[in-house]
Structure formats: structure tokens, C-alpha cells
Amino acid sequence: MSSKPPRRKIQVRNSGVHGKGVYAVAPIEAGHKIIEYTGERISWQEAQDRHPHDPANPNHTFYFSLDSGEVIDALYGGNNARWINHSCEPNCEAEETDAGRVFIRALRDIEPGEELFYDYGLVLDERYTAKLKKEFACFCGTATCRGTLLAPKR
């Protein structure tokens, strides 16, 4: 009797970091393309018009900003990739193709039971005040946590 590898490599369940999270249910090798971030493609203006998805939690969206200036809104037509949480020490990365598709790829080998994370690296034009950083607080708890989902300004 041969044991077949599981068809699915990931599963959504409650996260100790924030809300729901995505977990490996089978080993994932470094470099493996795990899942595409899908959803409705909209203009930045449409994303602004839809904001916030949840008035009680206005900075929680399923938006993924693209190099083209468009936004993927995973609230509409999104898949399980929308539940991948942020970490300042991620085990995955988001990679945009020339065609504007976004894939989540493993940065290192990931064991079953590990939660998947990528660095959201949010960029805002406004000045990063303490208040703004708190609005985009990070809860990853890693040794190098910068305390915010915002990307460092260079």
C-alpha cells in the first residue's frame, strides 16, 4: 500500500497572530510557488471608493497593490491567499509577474503545521507618525519585529 502525498499543501484556520491564517499541511520546499493571490482587479480610485471594507476595522483590507497602479481586491473573487498574515521575519514572499499576477513563494523549507507569512511592506505617502504606525500595528512577535506593517522609509 503506497501513501499518496496530500493534494493540498495549505489550509486556512485561526491564527495566533491575527484572525485567520494559512498553514502548511504538507512540507513545502524553498522556492515553491504556493498559491496565486486572486481577486477582482480594480483601479486605485475604485479601491479608495470601496474603503473601508469594515468600518470597525478600517485598515484591514484584502487589497494587493500592483506595479501597474491597479489593485487586487480579494474580498471579491479572492482565494485562501488573502488569509496569509504579515511577519517581519517571513517564510514566504509575494512575487508579481510581468503579467501582473501575484504568487506567494516559499523563501525557505516550511514544515507541516507552520503558519505562512510574507512581509506586507505597506507604503504610504504620508509621514510615519507614531499614531499611523499604531494604526498599522504588527503582531508577529518576531525578534526583529518593527512594530508596524508599514515598510521602512528609505
Side-chain angles (χ1 to χ4, degrees), residues 91-141:
N91 53 13
C92 297
E93 66 182 345
E95 181 177 88
E96 184 177 346
T97 68
D98 291 340
R101 294 173 70 186
V102 175
F103 293 93
I104 308 303
R105 182 182 304 276
L107 287 170
R108 61 166 176 78
D109 290 348
I110 300 171
E111 297 300 317
E114 276 189 78
E115 186 171 358
L116 306 185
F117 297 102
Y118 64 91
D119 186 340
Y120 289 2
L122 302 179
V123 176
L124 299 177
D125 292 334
E126 58 200 279
R127 194 169 142 266
Y128 288 4
T129 62
K131 180 180 182 283
L132 186 67
K133 288 179 184 178
K134 188 175 179 181
E135 287 177 23
F136 291 93
C138 176
F139 304 106
C140 74

Side-chain angles (χ1 to χ4, degrees), residues 11-12 14 35-36 41 55 66 71 73 87 119:
Q11 176 184 68
V12 174
N14 289 333
I35 190 170
E36 182 174 2
R41 290 172 173 271
L66 301 173
V71 174
D73 184 353
S87 175
D119 186 340

